[in-house]
Amino acid sequence: MSGCVSTVLDVADKANQPINASLVSDMSRRKMTPADPILVRIFKDESELEIWKRDRTGRYALLKTFPMCRWSGKLGPKTRNGDRQAPEGFYTVSAGMLNPNSQYYLSFNLGYPNKLENALGYSGEALMVHGACSSSGCFALTDAGVAEIYTVIREAIRGGQTAFQVQAFPFRMTPENMAKNRNDPNYSFWTNLKQGYDNFEVTGRPPKVSYCGRRYVFDAEFEGGDPRDPLASCPPLLNSENGAVAARDDADARKTEALLASGTALEAHAYSDGGMHPSFRKLLQSRGAAALAKKTSLDDVPISRPEAALADPHRPGE
């Protein structure tokens, strides 16, 4: 237990360290400030986490991409406690969900289950983004990685952002990846997630997320206000769909169908138990689990299921 317990002084040091100077310089070049709002995107298949930040134009731009050391389960949503699945969906993280006293260095809670997942009867709790390289439903970024992410989040909250959006996807929602996974039982769910993905890609702004008809609905205004029951049919809309977003959806759908019709070999990847960014897999292969644990955690937190991380000779994009 001693390795998981920090003194008050240690906690204060971890949670209040300054933003990396090079990252501050990157913000300045991109016409951002540390106080500007943020958004987080997570991609399982690529094992990457992105930090986006609002710039002077009012749009969000990519600030930095972090390699993810470990996530568990397979592609697809989390539906029950103990399934080892890392969540997929749209989440809202407030200041109170940051944990400076995490047993995995620093962390923040994703807020799973969200309103839709709760209505669908999904179960689970304390699904986090945290340090080290161990996961049983969380996203592990290493102590150094989560420390840098934490500082960016902290400064955005101090700057007045009361909560930030996290978008967690199975993969980058490209026509190629949609075609590869066309026969997956989660395909309909992923098509719904892609609507939110496309919305952000086109508008450069976090979409307003609503829930009705057992799905996510984005940037919609409804008669009578936001629906209260995520399982009920959606009320009539007061606004029309964003034309640019609809055009993106249609174009990608046509590309997906063309890829499928071409007969090109497109094979989805099947995970034994979660993934690991290639940069960490290379270290695991060459130096072993104990050495990787030392590199990714100040407390030498063991790598979760290293044999599963090495079982799949997977390179994102193939």
Side-chain angles (χ1 to χ4, degrees), residues 87-105:
E88 295 173 7
F90 287 74
Y91 304 95
T92 301
V93 179
S94 61
M97 297 162 72
L98 274 63
N99 182 11
N101 196 23
S102 172
Q103 66 174 336
Y104 296 114
Y105 196 65

Side-chain angles (χ1 to χ4, degrees), residues 81-295:
N81 194 36
D83 62 6
R84 293 187 60 80
Q85 286 289 101
E88 295 173 7
F90 287 74
Y91 304 95
T92 301
V93 179
S94 61
M97 297 162 72
L98 274 63
N99 182 11
N101 196 23
S102 172
Q103 66 174 336
Y104 296 114
Y105 196 65
L106 293 165
S107 66
F108 64 86
N109 194 315
L110 285 171
Y112 172 93
N114 61 26
K115 186 176 180 180
L116 174 61
E117 292 162 336
N118 191 57
L120 290 170
Y122 295 175
S123 61
E125 59 183 4
L127 278 300
M128 318 289 285
V129 172
H130 59 58
C133 192
S134 177
S135 171
S136 57
C138 298
F139 298 106
L141 272 294
T142 80
D143 288 3
V146 78
E148 191 168 0
I149 293 164
Y150 198 95
T151 63
V152 178
I153 293 171
R154 183 198 65 218
E155 292 307 308
I157 289 173
R158 286 179 177 173
Q161 186 176 20
T162 57
F164 63 94
Q165 189 174 100
V166 177
Q167 305 175 359
F169 299 106
F171 40 73
R172 297 187 185 280
M173 312 298 278
T174 64
E176 292 76 15
N177 282 335
M178 296 301 288
K180 285 180 184 179
N181 292 277
R182 183 64 180 85
N183 295 321
D184 193 284
N186 294 299
Y187 188 79
S188 178
F189 168 66
W190 291 338
T191 300
N192 183 207
L193 292 188
K194 187 178 185 303
Q195 293 170 344
Y197 175 92
D198 289 344
N199 186 297
F200 179 67
E201 289 274 309
V202 170
T203 68
R205 295 177 174 84
K208 172 181 173 288
V209 181
S210 304
Y211 318 92
C212 59
R214 306 177 70 88
R215 61 188 174 90
Y216 295 100
V217 184
F218 303 98
D219 281 349
E221 300 296 332
F222 297 95
E223 260 184 33
D226 250 21
R228 296 183 179 181
D229 183 359
L231 306 184
S233 299
C234 294
L237 283 170
L238 296 176
N239 62 329
S240 56
E241 185 178 7
N242 183 304
V245 176
R248 163 77 177 251
D249 287 344
D250 290 343
D252 279 4
R254 287 195 297 272
K255 289 178 184 176
T256 299
E257 292 305 320
L259 285 167
L260 292 168
S262 70
T264 304
L266 294 168
E267 186 175 349
H269 182 70
Y271 288 92
S272 295
D273 182 9
M276 175 180 281
H277 192 271
S279 61
F280 295 113
R281 180 181 285 116
K282 183 178 180 180
L283 289 172
L284 179 59
Q285 288 174 325
S286 63
R287 299 178 59 187
L292 184 58
K294 287 181 180 293
K295 186 175 180 63

